[in-house]
Amino acid sequence: MPQIKENLQETIFRFWNGRWAVPWTGQTIAQVMFLWIATFWLVGSWIVPFLAHAAGFSKETLTHRGQALYSLVTDITEGLAGIAILHQCLGRFRPLPPGWFEFKLKGRWHWDVALGCLLFPLVNLLSHINISLVHMSSGPVAGVSSVEQSIVARDPVAMALYAVVVTVCAPIWEEIVFRGFLLPSLTRYMPLPWSILLSAAAFALAHFNVQRVLPLIFLGVVMGGVFARSRNLLASMVLHSLWNGFVFLDLMK
């Protein structure tokens, strides 16, 4: 029994004090996140709509398939812009210390992902609670999304395009930014658990949806824990993809 207690205390100590070697300061962290948010807004709200309008298209008049393709193009553009920002801002710190932006197929990270999947029902419960709280505090919520419209219409091509957006594109670039960059960077200034929580809060707020704040914070903590334990971005990407797929399939019922 004393040995078990000692091992548990050692594990907690290692987790609490787990850090990355961070060669940049808070100024670079703030710069990357500000530029990412600004670029995300510019691309989604101005650049892609302007280019679509210049090409003779209007999002409001597009078919379900057209809107799905529009979402895919927007998501890919936002993702590439985010990666370009990281590449530019962190360029002067290359080569980066070991442990940054690692993708590994080997290891026991599959078990961490499986454990994270077991928490999906809890995330779903938090989602229903959050929506109920928003209903009570601010009245009617937002209308039906283009994804839900395509599902109702049972358009297979549109649904396949949206599936690529939510299970491939979004998990890749969101995990690179929030778990790959922000979470490890914060360990320069605070213990790992606080870094996980703060990056999860930033992840939730970046979705600009008050109806999903609670489940996204919890989901961000779960994905952050999986990433911190495995030090493998592939693990959190797969978990993120599985969650988005879980939500997408739930909408199809």
Side-chain angles (χ1 to χ4, degrees):
M1 195 68 178
Q3 184 64 37
I4 295 176
K5 183 179 179 181
E6 184 178 330
N7 290 339
L8 180 60
Q9 289 176 337
E10 185 181 346
T11 300
I12 294 173
F13 178 81
R14 282 204 311 267
F15 183 74
W16 182 267
N17 292 283
R19 296 177 186 271
W20 275 256
V22 185
W24 46 82
T25 64
Q27 181 179 354
T28 299
I29 301 172
Q31 179 189 37
V32 168
M33 296 311 297
F34 172 78
L35 288 174
W36 178 81
I37 292 171
T39 303
F40 179 88
W41 178 74
L42 282 171
V43 169
S45 300
W46 291 94
I47 296 176
V48 172
F50 173 78
L51 293 176
H53 180 74
F57 298 103
S58 172
K59 184 180 179 182
E60 290 71 24
T61 59
L62 291 174
T63 63
H64 292 308
R65 296 182 182 186
Q67 290 190 12
L69 182 60
Y70 181 94
S71 294
L72 178 61
V73 170
T74 301
D75 211 81
I76 290 174
T77 306
E78 289 170 343
L80 292 175
I83 293 172
I85 288 170
L86 282 173
H87 185 269
Q88 183 66 27
C89 292
L90 304 185
R92 58 195 175 97
F93 300 104
R94 287 197 295 266
L96 298 179
W100 282 93
F101 303 107
E102 289 192 344
F103 296 83
K104 298 176 287 189
L105 289 173
K106 296 181 179 180
R108 300 174 60 85
W109 59 271
H110 312 83
W111 296 105
D112 296 327
V113 172
L115 183 61
C117 290
L118 295 179
L119 297 174
F120 283 176
L122 182 54
V123 180
N124 209 28
L125 176 62
L126 285 173
S127 181
H128 291 302
I129 293 173
N130 200 156
I131 291 173
S132 299
L133 291 174
V134 172
H135 268 298
M136 289 189 292
S137 63
S138 60
V141 295
V144 179
S145 68
S146 58
V147 179
E148 293 169 313
Q149 291 174 8
S150 296
I151 290 173
V152 170
R154 293 296 174 185
D155 187 316
V157 175
M159 290 164 65
L161 290 173
Y162 280 124
V164 172
V165 171
V166 300
T167 63
V168 179
C169 299
I172 291 175
W173 66 261
E174 288 180 8
E175 291 308 303
I176 288 175
V177 171
F178 290 101
R179 254 64 63 180
F181 169 74
L182 182 58
L183 190 162
S185 296
L186 292 174
T187 63
R188 177 180 176 124
Y189 298 102
M190 62 189 71
L192 179 56
W194 286 110
S195 300
I196 292 173
L197 181 59
L198 187 56
S199 62
F203 168 71
L205 293 174
H207 284 77
F208 303 107
N209 190 338
V210 70
Q211 300 175 39
R212 300 168 60 197
V213 170
L214 287 179
L216 285 175
I217 289 177
F218 182 77
L219 184 66
V221 168
V222 173
M223 293 189 296
V226 168
F227 170 68
R229 177 176 163 81
S230 64
R231 302 293 176 109
N232 182 7
L233 265 177
L234 185 60
S236 59
M237 284 181 181
V238 170
L239 183 60
H240 194 154
S241 176
L242 290 172
W243 164 252
N244 284 0
F246 175 81
V247 173
F248 191 75
L249 290 174
D250 191 53
L251 288 173
M252 292 175 61
K253 291 181 180 178

